[in-house]
Amino acid sequence: MAKVVFTEFFVKELKKKFSEQEGNKILDLLESLEENPHKGKELTTVGKAVIKEIKYGNYRFYFVTDGYKIKVLKISELHDLMIKFVRMSRTSVLDHDQKSSISDMSNKKDQQKTIDEIKRVLTLLGEEGF
Amino acid sequence: MNTTIAIPNELRDQLKEFGNKGETYGDILERLLNSAKQRQLQELLMDTKDCLTVEEARKRLKR
């Protein structure tokens, strides 16, 4: 069974935007990922980690999972990590199968593909993102 | 363009052990670097230092 954890920023934001009751409902939903880690829409993969989103009302919550851990984080944290990817993946190339993934191979020609994939994922992190 | 780097023979032999048939040292190094980088990126994403469990998160909501 995978274990769900939350970043401090996420919990702070949750407390700020929702009542305790609503916040607990959201935590219930996210905790249910422990039993059903396949829930949520896959956005992209990074190595063996998968970035996914799950909807709650008008909100979309983002999490990363490697099958053992499920880390729920704020959209801005995900943004920052994706930007870090761009910097770290200067010599990366994307594996464009049916699902796109951010995997590393060193080929400068394909570097743009990595950046394009990051941009694609960033555009998916919409306004309803939490 | 290629270059030459000086490494101990022992290290070169270790590197050789990682190689597959037909791979150059450059290929081996590239593959190892890619693997390391990918792991690094994954670790960055999955870093759970300072993260809260469900119970801790619920407690924070109460405060």
Side-chain angles (χ1 to χ4, degrees):
Chain A
M1 191 172 81
K3 190 171 171 57
V4 177
V5 293
F6 307 89
T7 63
E8 293 228 22
F9 284 120
F10 174 84
V11 178
K12 268 186 193 167
E13 195 71 8
L14 193 68
K15 190 175 176 175
K16 203 161 53 170
K17 285 195 176 166
F18 298 94
S19 66
E20 187 187 334
Q21 194 187 9
E22 191 82 1
N24 275 308
K25 272 189 193 173
I26 293 164
L27 290 181
D28 288 341
L29 170 75
L30 296 168
E31 190 179 16
S32 74
L33 295 170
E34 290 188 350
E35 299 290 342
N36 302 293
H38 302 296
K39 268 187 186 173
K41 181 183 163 192
E42 187 176 323
L43 300 180
T44 193
T45 61
V46 180
K48 287 174 186 164
V50 188
I51 299 175
K52 296 176 99 175
E53 70 172 23
I54 190 165
K55 279 190 171 182
Y56 176 87
N58 289 330
Y59 288 92
R60 284 187 280 179
F61 295 91
Y62 297 93
F63 61 97
V64 193
T65 179
D66 60 2
Y68 301 99
K69 286 183 284 185
I70 295 166
K71 180 178 164 184
V72 184
L73 66 177
K74 253 181 78 175
I75 190 170
S76 58
E77 291 178 292
L78 193 53
H79 259 114
D80 292 349
L81 283 172
M82 298 308 273
I83 300 298
K84 251 187 192 173
F85 286 158
V86 175
R87 292 187 185 139
M88 288 173 75
S89 308
R90 280 184 189 145
T91 55
S92 295
V93 65
L94 284 171
D95 186 9
H96 275 288
D97 294 331
Q98 281 183 331
K99 287 174 194 167
S100 50
S101 68
I102 300 165
S103 61
D104 289 47
M105 285 177 234
S106 55
N107 182 341
K108 282 186 180 174
K109 247 168 57 179
D110 293 311
Q111 184 184 332
Q112 191 56 44
K113 285 185 184 170
T114 302
I115 294 164
D116 290 345
E117 170 62 1
I118 302 281
K119 280 183 183 167
R120 186 189 71 83
V121 173
L122 288 174
T123 58
L124 290 175
L125 309 178
E127 287 173 7
E128 296 157 348
F130 182 82
Chain B
M1 198 168 66
N2 288 334
T3 188
T4 306
I5 55 170
I7 56 168
N9 287 341
E10 205 177 88
L11 186 60
R12 182 205 58 195
D13 293 342
Q14 283 182 45
L15 200 57
K16 205 173 182 176
E17 284 172 20
F18 270 95
N20 299 318
K21 205 177 174 184
E23 272 190 319
T24 63
Y25 285 111
D27 294 335
I28 301 168
L29 279 171
E30 194 175 288
R31 190 161 45 77
L32 292 177
L33 272 173
N34 291 336
S35 164
K37 205 186 284 180
Q38 197 164 336
R39 204 174 54 240
Q40 201 176 20
L41 290 172
Q42 196 183 320
E43 279 171 9
L44 183 73
L45 257 187
M46 293 308 305
D47 180 20
T48 53
K49 200 179 74 180
D50 300 328
C51 279
L52 305 171
T53 62
V54 180
E55 295 73 29
E56 288 167 337
R58 288 191 199 282
K59 276 184 197 167
R60 294 275 177 104
L61 287 185
K62 267 189 184 173
R63 281 185 208 164

